[in-house]
Amino acid sequence: NIVTSYLLHAIAQMKIFPTLLLSAAGSVPARAFLAPLSTTVKRPVPNEASQLLARRNDDGAIATTSKSDMPQRRRQFLLQSLGAASLISTSSIVSFPSIAHADGDYLYKRGGEDGSQGDLTNQLFNTDGSLRDPNTVVEAKETAVNLPFYVPSVPDGISINIATDGVQPTFSAGDATTNLKASYSLPLKWNQDTTSQQPLYYDSSEGKNGVSCNRISIYSVSSPKNLDITTLEKASRVGVAKSLFMDQLPNKYFDQGVSKADLISGRTVRKPIKSSEVEGGVDEQVYYEFDLAFAPLECPDFNEGNKENLGLGFCPYDKIFLVSATVLDDEKGKSGTLMCFVIECDKAEWKMGNSDIKRVRSSFAVDRGA
């Protein structure tokens, strides 16, 4: 009939197809085939499209066949034709899986389940995306710097002590003094040896190789009156440099441009401190952190070699001060002592090590002596 003649003609035109199929079956593993021949995919057919197709038999009778049966009949015809020609054995057909299993049947797998093999992603993360070992934390190695401060308990006037780059401040210890301890932490990768050929605070780690900051200072200010925590609360309105006595330190200790510095950001943090007035002997101390920055007093023109002057009438910030300050009240509650930590850097140092600089500032803490 017409259908049979059409199929025989199609097979005649595809003489090379069995040879290609046989060579592919012999060289590629059976599980690599994603669509097994013995599997039929059923699709819902609309009412209009599900009308029966008429096919005339040799005796003139009319037989009906639905469209959904056509794929299965084509596969059966091809299997019978190829099997009769001995091109594909029955064992090779049976080897095709009838169901695709999600567990275990992979064409490519990433190493072992324990992460000992495979790519870096498989070593660090589980299959659900979580870390393999959440307890593994890489911590920056640091070294602590501890400095004693002796401040007058009942000052007659403003008393200032300054410690620069970890050097203990000079003081005249009298009979009425209060023992305080200031501390902070420095990255171990920073050079802290003043006798070394490298500059102080030089970071020789890979990709940096430069000085991280210019100077680290801690100073104390004791005043007979009007020095308490409200001094820091008003600093953002009155001026940080003025509130922290930066302009009153001897020998113009800080760059005088700090008096006109812009307050970039500020926040408060709480840290533990020894106290005999609370149960357990440990209280909370409030610290105010300020980020200050200021531009040079003079800004040469671009034509004079200053590439920072873009003709906007000002130059970008070239100095950054990170400050942490707190006020400790005396035991009688009459006045207090301001303890201030300042780390100074320029724009190049800030760009290279700002994360380390922030961490150093946050490590500053003050405690009462034993």
Coordinates of all heavy atoms in Angstrom, one line a residue, residues 295-330:
A295 N 41.7 68.3 53.2 CA 42.5 68.6 52.0 C 43.7 69.5 52.3 O 43.7 70.1 53.4 CB 41.6 69.2 50.9
P296 N 44.7 69.6 51.5 CA 45.8 70.5 51.7 C 45.4 71.9 51.8 O 44.4 72.3 51.1 CB 46.8 70.2 50.6 CG 45.9 69.6 49.5 CD 44.9 68.9 50.2
L297 N 46.1 72.7 52.5 CA 45.8 74.2 52.7 C 45.9 74.9 51.4 O 45.2 75.8 51.1 CB 46.6 74.8 53.8 CG 46.5 74.2 55.2 CD1 47.4 74.9 56.1 CD2 45.0 74.4 55.6
E298 N 46.9 74.5 50.5 CA 47.1 75.1 49.2 C 46.9 74.0 48.2 O 47.3 72.9 48.3 CB 48.5 75.7 49.2 CG 48.7 76.9 50.1 CD 50.1 77.5 50.0 OE1 50.9 76.9 49.1 OE2 50.4 78.4 50.7
C299 N 46.4 74.4 47.0 CA 46.1 73.5 46.0 C 46.7 74.1 44.7 O 46.0 74.9 44.0 CB 44.6 73.2 45.8 SG 44.2 71.9 44.7
P300 N 47.9 73.7 44.3 CA 48.4 74.3 43.0 C 47.6 73.9 41.8 O 46.8 72.9 41.8 CB 49.8 73.6 43.0 CG 50.1 73.2 44.4 CD 48.8 72.9 45.0
D301 N 47.8 74.6 40.7 CA 47.1 74.4 39.5 C 47.5 73.1 38.8 O 48.6 72.6 39.1 CB 47.2 75.6 38.5 CG 46.5 76.8 39.1 OD1 45.6 76.7 39.9 OD2 46.9 77.9 38.7
F302 N 46.7 72.6 37.9 CA 47.0 71.4 37.2 C 48.3 71.7 36.3 O 49.1 70.8 36.1 CB 45.8 71.0 36.3 CG 46.1 69.7 35.6 CD1 45.8 68.5 36.1 CD2 46.5 69.8 34.2 CE1 46.0 67.3 35.4 CE2 46.7 68.6 33.5 CZ 46.5 67.4 34.1
N303 N 48.4 72.9 35.8 CA 49.5 73.2 34.9 C 50.8 73.2 35.7 O 51.9 73.2 35.1 CB 49.3 74.6 34.2 CG 48.1 74.6 33.3 OD1 47.7 73.5 32.7 ND2 47.4 75.7 33.1
E304 N 50.7 73.4 37.0 CA 51.9 73.4 37.8 C 52.4 72.0 38.2 O 53.3 71.8 39.1 CB 51.7 74.3 39.0 CG 51.5 75.7 38.7 CD 51.2 76.6 39.9 OE1 51.3 76.0 41.0 OE2 50.9 77.8 39.7
G305 N 51.7 71.0 37.7 CA 52.1 69.6 38.0 C 51.2 68.9 39.0 O 51.5 67.8 39.4
N306 N 50.2 69.6 39.5 CA 49.3 69.0 40.5 C 48.1 68.3 39.7 O 47.2 68.9 39.3 CB 48.7 70.1 41.4 CG 47.8 69.5 42.5 OD1 47.8 68.2 42.7 ND2 47.1 70.3 43.2
K307 N 48.2 67.0 39.6 CA 47.2 66.2 38.9 C 45.9 66.1 39.6 O 44.9 65.6 39.1 CB 47.8 64.9 38.5 CG 49.0 64.9 37.6 CD 49.5 63.5 37.3 CE 50.7 63.6 36.3 NZ 51.2 62.2 36.0
E308 N 46.0 66.4 40.9 CA 44.7 66.3 41.7 C 43.8 67.5 41.5 O 42.6 67.4 41.8 CB 45.1 66.2 43.2 CG 46.0 65.0 43.5 CD 45.3 63.7 43.3 OE1 44.0 63.7 43.3 OE2 46.0 62.6 43.2
N309 N 44.3 68.6 41.0 CA 43.5 69.8 40.8 C 42.8 69.6 39.4 O 43.4 69.8 38.4 CB 44.3 71.0 40.9 CG 43.5 72.3 40.9 OD1 42.3 72.3 40.6 ND2 44.1 73.4 41.3
L310 N 41.5 69.4 39.5 CA 40.8 69.2 38.2 C 40.0 70.5 37.8 O 39.1 70.4 37.0 CB 39.8 68.0 38.4 CG 40.4 66.7 38.7 CD1 39.4 65.6 38.9 CD2 41.5 66.3 37.7
G311 N 40.4 71.6 38.4 CA 39.7 72.8 38.1 C 38.4 73.0 38.7 O 37.6 73.9 38.3
L312 N 38.1 72.3 39.8 CA 36.9 72.4 40.5 C 36.9 73.4 41.7 O 35.9 73.6 42.4 CB 36.4 71.0 41.1 CG 36.3 69.9 40.0 CD1 35.9 68.6 40.7 CD2 35.2 70.4 39.0
G313 N 38.1 74.0 41.9 CA 38.2 74.9 43.0 C 38.7 74.4 44.3 O 38.9 75.1 45.3
F314 N 39.0 73.1 44.3 CA 39.5 72.4 45.6 C 40.2 71.1 45.2 O 40.1 70.6 44.1 CB 38.3 72.1 46.5 CG 37.3 71.1 45.9 CD1 37.4 69.8 46.0 CD2 36.2 71.6 45.2 CE1 36.5 68.9 45.5 CE2 35.3 70.8 44.7 CZ 35.4 69.4 44.8
C315 N 41.0 70.6 46.1 CA 41.7 69.4 45.9 C 41.1 68.3 46.7 O 40.5 68.5 47.8 CB 43.2 69.5 46.3 SG 44.2 70.4 45.0
P316 N 41.2 67.0 46.4 CA 40.7 65.9 47.2 C 41.4 65.8 48.5 O 42.5 66.4 48.7 CB 40.9 64.7 46.3 CG 41.1 65.2 44.9 CD 41.8 66.6 45.1
Y317 N 40.8 65.1 49.4 CA 41.4 64.8 50.7 C 42.8 64.2 50.5 O 43.0 63.3 49.7 CB 40.6 63.9 51.6 CG 39.2 64.5 51.9 CD1 38.0 63.7 51.7 CD2 39.1 65.8 52.4 CE1 36.8 64.2 52.0 CE2 37.8 66.3 52.7 CZ 36.7 65.5 52.5 OH 35.4 66.1 52.8
D318 N 43.8 64.6 51.3 CA 45.1 64.0 51.2 C 45.5 63.4 52.6 O 46.5 62.8 52.7 CB 46.1 65.0 50.7 CG 46.4 66.1 51.6 OD1 45.5 66.4 52.5 OD2 47.4 66.8 51.5
K319 N 44.7 63.7 53.6 CA 45.1 63.1 54.9 C 43.8 62.6 55.6 O 42.7 63.3 55.6 CB 45.8 64.2 55.8 CG 47.1 64.6 55.3 CD 47.9 65.5 56.3 CE 49.3 65.8 55.7 NZ 50.0 66.8 56.6
I320 N 43.9 61.5 56.2 CA 42.8 60.8 56.9 C 43.2 60.5 58.3 O 44.3 59.9 58.6 CB 42.3 59.6 56.2 CG1 41.9 59.9 54.8 CG2 41.2 58.9 56.9 CD1 42.9 59.7 53.7
F321 N 42.3 60.9 59.3 CA 42.5 60.6 60.7 C 41.4 59.7 61.2 O 40.2 60.0 61.0 CB 42.5 61.8 61.6 CG 43.8 62.7 61.5 CD1 44.7 62.5 60.5 CD2 44.0 63.6 62.5 CE1 45.8 63.3 60.4 CE2 45.2 64.4 62.5 CZ 46.1 64.2 61.4
L322 N 41.7 58.5 61.7 CA 40.7 57.6 62.3 C 40.9 57.8 63.8 O 42.0 57.5 64.4 CB 40.9 56.2 61.9 CG 40.0 55.8 60.7 CD1 40.2 56.6 59.5 CD2 40.1 54.3 60.4
V323 N 39.8 58.1 64.5 CA 39.9 58.5 65.9 C 38.9 57.6 66.7 O 37.8 57.3 66.3 CB 39.5 60.0 66.1 CG1 39.6 60.4 67.6 CG2 40.3 60.9 65.3
S324 N 39.4 57.2 67.9 CA 38.5 56.5 68.9 C 38.7 57.2 70.2 O 39.9 57.3 70.7 CB 38.8 55.0 68.9 OG 38.0 54.4 69.9
A325 N 37.7 57.6 70.9 CA 37.8 58.4 72.1 C 36.8 58.0 73.1 O 35.7 57.6 72.8 CB 37.8 59.9 71.9
T326 N 37.2 58.1 74.4 CA 36.3 57.8 75.5 C 36.7 58.7 76.7 O 37.8 59.2 76.8 CB 36.3 56.3 75.9 OG1 35.2 56.1 76.9 CG2 37.6 55.9 76.5
V327 N 35.7 58.9 77.6 CA 36.0 59.6 78.8 C 35.7 58.8 80.1 O 34.6 58.2 80.2 CB 35.1 60.9 78.9 CG1 35.3 61.6 80.2 CG2 35.4 61.8 77.8
L328 N 36.7 58.6 80.9 CA 36.6 57.9 82.2 C 36.3 58.8 83.3 O 37.1 59.7 83.6 CB 37.8 57.0 82.4 CG 38.0 55.7 81.6 CD1 38.4 56.0 80.2 CD2 39.0 54.8 82.3
D329 N 35.2 58.6 84.0 CA 34.9 59.4 85.2 C 35.8 59.0 86.3 O 36.1 57.9 86.5 CB 33.4 59.3 85.5 CG 32.5 59.8 84.4 OD1 32.9 60.7 83.7 OD2 31.4 59.3 84.3
D330 N 36.1 60.0 87.2 CA 36.8 59.7 88.4 C 35.9 59.1 89.4 O 34.7 59.1 89.3 CB 37.6 60.9 88.9 CG 36.6 62.0 89.3 OD1 35.4 61.8 89.2 OD2 37.1 63.1 89.8

